Structure formats: C-alpha cells, structure tokens
Amino acid sequence: MALLFLLTGGSMFAGVKTQIEAFKQLGLPQWFRIVTAIVQYIGVAGLIVGFWLPCIAGWSGVWLGITMLAAVFFHIKVKEPFSKAVPALVLALLALVLIWLNASSIPHPF
C-alpha cells in the first residue's frame, strides 16, 4: 500500500499527463493534485512509522481510507463509470483492513 501511494503521489507531484487529465475530468483544480499528493505522502510516512508503532499504522489507515473514499465520491459525483472508482474503492477497503488489524493499538479519542 505504501509503495502504491508513494508512486501515485510522485506522479501527481511530477505532473504526469494522466494525473493532470484525471483531475480535470473530476472537476478539481490542479493545485488540489499537489495537496492530494502531500496527503498521500503523509499517509505513506505513517505506514512506514507504523512498522514500529502500530497505532500510527492504524491512524494512517484512517487517513488514507478517508482520502480514498473522497476519491470514490468525486468519481461518482462526475458520473464516471464505476470502473474508474474501483481502484480507489479497493484501496479504501485495504485501509479498512489495516485499521482492523491495528484496532487494538489505536487509542480511543474520547
């Protein structure tokens, strides 16, 4: 998961044509592509730290899961075919698994 987010975040930072087109198609400004890359890199950092601190891995799962659910929302909002939202949905589900695996180490916020 960390490698995938690292690669996609890098392609967003680099301004790869497919990323630029994807954000245009979703109706999002190009500065949001950079913000999304930063959000992904924060999640990657949390996943790496999570090898030693499982609670950080759990919170990174929450962070990345919300990010991917937002991606699914934007794909649905612009009425793209569901197949375009599937990768983000799969990553959201993987984040849910990560949260579940680390649930006992995540401190309760209340």
Side-chain angles (χ1 to χ4, degrees):
M1 228 172 120
L3 181 60
L4 184 61
F5 280 112
L6 191 64
L7 292 173
T8 58
S11 69
M12 287 180 200
F13 269 129
V16 173
K17 185 178 179 179
T18 55
Q19 292 290 356
I20 290 171
E21 291 301 318
F23 276 76
K24 279 183 188 175
Q25 213 162 4
L26 293 173
L28 297 169
Q30 290 303 308
W31 63 263
F32 197 71
R33 176 176 47 85
I34 302 301
V35 170
T36 304
I38 292 168
V39 166
Q40 288 184 356
Y41 277 177
I42 291 169
V44 168
L47 291 175
I48 292 169
V49 171
F51 280 110
W52 297 278
L53 299 170
C55 74
I56 301 298
W59 282 113
S60 293
V62 171
W63 179 264
L64 292 169
I66 291 170
T67 303
M68 290 299 98
L69 288 176
V72 170
F73 168 77
F74 279 108
H75 284 288
I76 292 169
K77 181 182 173 215
V78 298
K79 297 181 171 94
E80 286 191 329
F82 184 71
S83 60
K84 294 257 186 168
V86 168
L89 186 58
V90 168
L91 286 169
L93 292 173
L94 285 173
L96 187 61
V97 169
L98 182 65
I99 296 164
W100 179 71
L101 290 172
N102 293 285
S104 63
S105 65
I106 300 174
H108 197 283
F110 303 107

